[in-house]
Amino acid sequence: MNTKKAIQRLNHIDWGNIGKNGHKNDMEFGIAFIKRMAIFCKKNTITPSLPFTTDLPAMFGKKIIDSRLLEQCHPNVKKIIKNPSFSTAIVDYYLRACMLGEEKQKYRDCVAVYEPIIFLFERGGNFVYQERGMLFLNSGLIPLTNWFENFCQM
């Protein structure tokens, strides 16, 4: 996905309502995210920390969002990028992954890692870090103990 489309997508999310509309199957987005993260890290010989704190673009040299791109973001998106929570830090990673993928085609699959959580936000869902796992409102908890080993083999 190109960066301009990613910004448009993020700008259309109702950030005031994320976490208020948890759905029964939101945990499926979390499982897809963790699985993609584990497979990407294994393929690229990356030792990840927690999946939602693993900043893939920074590992490939993309540490900041270009200021001209940030200007295109809705004020709510800018606020999230400047003051992220555990879950919303993914917005920053996602935008930088898009920038990285545009610069170097070999990193385009980095964007796909973060897509499931962006889908979750678009639906109004969210997750929190609780009890050593990712807790999804009205959906369930994904334990993160040995997550890398468990999910890279799925």
Side-chain angles (χ1 to χ4, degrees):
M1 170 171 288
N2 74 33
T3 306
K4 187 173 183 172
K5 287 182 182 176
I7 290 171
Q8 290 171 347
R9 189 174 174 193
L10 293 171
N11 285 344
H12 284 97
I13 295 174
D14 184 355
W15 293 103
N17 282 322
I18 68 162
K20 296 180 181 174
N21 298 319
H23 299 277
K24 190 169 95 173
N25 61 348
D26 281 355
M27 198 166 76
E28 293 174 20
F29 292 110
I31 291 168
F33 165 64
I34 295 169
K35 183 177 178 181
R36 289 178 187 194
M37 179 65 75
I39 291 168
F40 185 90
C41 289
K42 184 176 183 178
K43 177 182 164 188
N44 292 283
T45 58
I46 294 170
T47 304
S49 53
L50 293 172
F52 54 86
T53 62
T54 302
D55 184 350
L56 296 174
M59 293 178 188
F60 299 115
K62 185 56 73 182
K63 296 183 180 185
I64 59 168
I65 296 173
D66 186 298
S67 61
R68 69 176 174 77
L69 293 175
L70 200 53
E71 289 173 8
Q72 298 173 34
C73 293
H74 185 279
N76 289 338
V77 176
K78 288 180 191 176
K79 183 178 176 184
I80 286 167
I81 290 169
K82 291 178 182 180
N83 299 303
S85 68
F86 275 122
S87 63
T88 60
I90 289 173
V91 171
D92 183 21
Y93 305 159
Y94 173 70
L95 276 178
R96 287 188 286 117
C98 289
M99 293 168 56
L100 185 65
E102 283 183 351
E103 292 171 9
K104 298 177 184 173
Q105 189 171 8
K106 69 180 183 175
Y107 296 124
R108 285 195 177 157
D109 56 344
C110 183
V111 177
V113 172
Y114 299 107
E115 286 284 334
I117 300 300
I118 302 303
F119 286 133
L120 176 73
F121 293 154
E122 287 174 325
R123 291 171 40 110
N126 198 5
F127 70 89
V128 294
Y129 181 59
Q130 187 172 332
E131 299 176 23
R132 293 185 218 171
M134 291 174 72
L135 178 65
F136 295 83
L137 178 68
N138 298 328
S139 190
L141 176 79
I142 302 172
L144 294 177
T145 304
N146 300 320
W147 72 271
F148 181 69
E149 295 81 11
N150 294 335
F151 282 89
C152 72
Q153 298 183 22
M154 293 180 92

